[in-house]
Amino acid sequence: QVSGEYEKDVKEYKEAIRIDPHAAIAYGGLLWVYLDYLGEADSALVWSEKMITDNPNNVWGYANLGSAWLCYDSLAKAEEAFIKAREINPDLILNLYNLAHTYRIQKKYDKAIPTLKYILKINQDEISAYYDLGINYQSMGNQVEARKYFLSFKKSAEEEWGKKLPNDVGTYTSLAAVFARLGAMDSSMQMLRKAIEIDSAQHYKFAEVL
């Protein structure tokens, strides 16, 4: 969606669903707009349920349902939906990240950590899992393990994103975040300033670091 006419998108996706309720791709597009662009979690709940009714074996119905419940801080319901999505597709990485995130918020670190390690088992290039593992161990008070995973993330981010995406704001905000987690505040601010130089309008990313 380039033009930003999201309400028009919604209308078109709904018409596609009316014509063919089993068109999972139309449901997926509609839920994507509701959750990522319009922020209408209530509509996402309703249409996720509809998608599950019409396409009960499609993983995205439950994955989006979990995201919608997460917007409402209904963590038990979000967890249940993400687990159901995992039963349908055990290797959907986005769903695994969301499930691990939900576990962590509930302080279920013993479940979040294996989920994140499974992501790395599926795909070693998913370096964000290292950062999330560090956060879980840090939340548990295990600074030794936390530091190990934060250093792994920093090394991979510098080697992968730093070389391949040297002008990307996300490269430097990610490095700024992990430097802060490691207690290297001067380096963190240096990376943050670099990100701001590239694009000063990325306020959400800057706020995450701060």
Side-chain angles (χ1 to χ4, degrees):
Q1 172 39 259
V2 178
S3 65
E5 297 183 16
Y6 302 117
E7 294 295 348
K8 188 177 292 185
D9 289 344
V10 165
K11 183 179 178 181
E12 295 296 333
Y13 280 130
K14 286 182 178 179
E15 178 62 14
I17 292 167
R18 186 192 66 79
I19 294 168
D20 182 4
H22 301 297
I25 192 168
Y27 268 115
L30 176 63
L31 291 165
W32 175 52
V33 172
Y34 274 140
L35 287 167
D36 283 26
Y37 292 98
L38 295 177
E40 296 183 9
D42 53 345
S43 296
L45 280 176
V46 171
W47 285 90
S48 292
E49 294 284 7
K50 287 179 180 291
M51 182 177 183
I52 290 167
T53 298
D54 291 333
N55 302 271
N57 296 316
N58 190 289
V59 65
W60 290 104
Y62 290 99
N64 283 301
L65 180 63
S67 294
W69 281 125
L70 202 56
C71 291
Y72 280 108
D73 210 27
S74 296
L75 302 179
K77 291 181 178 180
E79 178 185 337
E80 182 181 355
F82 291 139
I83 288 173
K84 181 63 178 178
R86 188 178 189 178
E87 290 172 359
I88 295 172
N89 185 347
D91 296 343
L92 183 60
I93 286 178
L94 177 60
N95 184 67
L96 293 172
Y97 273 119
N98 286 336
L99 177 58
H101 180 59
T102 305
Y103 282 144
R104 180 183 58 78
I105 298 171
Q106 298 176 93
K107 299 183 180 181
K108 296 180 179 180
Y109 309 119
D110 60 326
K111 293 185 177 181
I113 287 170
T115 303
L116 291 164
K117 289 182 176 179
Y118 183 70
I119 291 174
L120 289 170
K121 182 179 178 181
I122 298 170
N123 187 350
Q124 292 183 340
D125 293 332
E126 282 292 329
I127 63 177
S128 293
Y130 289 114
Y131 184 82
D132 289 357
L133 280 162
I135 291 175
N136 275 273
Y137 280 114
Q138 193 172 67
S139 299
M140 294 171 65
N142 188 336
Q143 299 301 334
V144 173
E145 284 296 295
R147 182 174 179 80
K148 181 181 80 173
Y149 282 104
F150 285 141
L151 287 173
S152 293
F153 174 78
K154 183 178 80 69
K155 181 175 183 292
S156 296
E158 288 172 336
E159 291 178 353
E160 293 295 319
W161 299 342
K163 292 178 181 177
K164 296 178 182 178
L165 301 168
N167 297 312
D168 187 87
V169 170
T171 296
Y172 297 98
T173 53
S174 295
L175 288 171
V178 76
F179 274 123
R181 291 279 182 181
L182 289 164
M185 302 311 295
D186 289 343
S187 296
S188 178
M189 290 306 299
Q190 182 182 348
M191 293 295 103
L192 180 57
R193 284 193 292 270
K194 178 67 175 176
I196 293 170
E197 288 173 7
I198 294 172
D199 184 353
S200 61
Q202 297 294 318
H203 305 297
Y204 183 81
K205 290 182 180 294
F206 305 149
E208 283 186 325
V209 175
L210 294 169

